[in-house]
């Protein structure tokens, strides 16, 4: 498997990424607006399967936001999430993200975050943030619009 970071996508990569997100989350995206504030995307490709994992990072006023973290359902359990996580932490010393309280992957996130908090329907996690930065990031995350159609 190959891990790459990019800050720009061609039309084919863009569509492949959006398709991966929809398949991985099992929901349709409302739109592709998260790509307009893209800082970078970490992509994992398999020689036979193509794009099998991606982590989308967005630049926000309060820091780097891990907007999407997705692994193709057929490839789960193959270490792709761990591989992406290691590359994210090496490349970005500080970032934050959220997951719905009902998200079955929240326990995985809890083990990898430096800290987290629950607020409303969301769990907000962070890596490399000070407590003050985490408070600002939490406010941003809980008020951010939902990217998927319910």
């Amino acid at each position: 498997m190959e891990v790459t970071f990019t800050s720009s996508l061609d039309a084919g990569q863009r569509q492949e990424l959006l398709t991966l997100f929809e398949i991985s989350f099992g929901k349709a995206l409302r739109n592709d607006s998260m790509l307009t504030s893209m800082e970078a995307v970490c992509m994992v490709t398999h020689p036979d399967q193509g794009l099998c994992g991606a982590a989308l990072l967005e630049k926000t006023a309060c820091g780097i936001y891990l907007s999407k973290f997705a692994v193709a359902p057929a490839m789960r359990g193959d270490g792709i999430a761990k591989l992406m996580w290691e590359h994210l932490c090496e490349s970005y010393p500080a970032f934050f993200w959220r997951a719905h309280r009902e998200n079955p992957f929240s326990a995985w996130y809890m083990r990898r975050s430096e800290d987290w908090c629950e607020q409303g329907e969301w769990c907000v996690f962070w890596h490399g943030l000070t407590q003050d930065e985490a408070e600002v990031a939490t406010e941003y995350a809980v008020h951010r619009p939902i990217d998927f159609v319910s």
Side-chain angles (χ1 to χ4, degrees):
M1 284 186 266
E2 180 182 11
V3 180
T4 58
F5 276 90
T6 187
S7 58
S8 64
L9 301 168
D10 64 30
Q13 290 171 315
R14 185 181 180 101
Q15 188 55 53
E16 194 176 20
L17 182 65
L18 295 172
T19 299
L20 174 66
F21 291 154
E22 289 184 338
I23 290 169
S24 179
F25 284 84
K27 297 178 182 180
L29 287 162
R30 289 185 189 278
N31 56 51
D32 62 359
S33 64
M34 79 281 302
L35 297 179
T36 61
S37 58
M38 182 178 85
E39 163 78 12
V41 61
C42 175
M43 301 188 329
V44 179
T45 54
H46 185 279
D48 299 324
Q49 304 293 325
L51 182 64
C52 56
L56 177 68
L57 298 158
E58 292 182 47
K59 191 171 190 166
T60 72
C62 52
I64 300 298
Y65 179 68
L66 176 58
S67 173
K68 302 286 171 287
F69 190 88
V71 175
M75 299 296 289
R76 290 183 183 155
D78 289 349
I80 294 166
K82 182 177 184 278
L83 183 63
M84 278 194 305
W85 188 258
E86 290 168 353
H87 279 78
L88 283 173
C89 292
E90 284 176 19
S91 300
Y92 289 89
F95 58 93
F96 66 102
W97 68 103
R98 74 176 183 192
H100 196 275
R101 288 174 57 164
E102 310 296 317
N103 187 324
F105 298 103
S106 287
W108 191 88
Y109 293 141
M110 286 174 192
R111 290 191 305 273
R112 281 153 183 84
S113 67
E114 288 179 5
D115 206 353
W116 63 279
C117 70
E118 263 184 39
Q119 191 170 352
E121 65 185 294
W122 300 106
C123 290
V124 181
F125 306 90
W126 54 89
H127 167 78
L129 301 183
T130 66
Q131 190 60 41
D132 288 343
E133 291 168 332
E135 288 175 18
V136 172
T138 297
E139 279 303 306
Y140 171 87
V142 299
H143 292 101
R144 179 184 166 88
I146 297 171
D147 291 323
F148 292 97
V149 176
S150 298

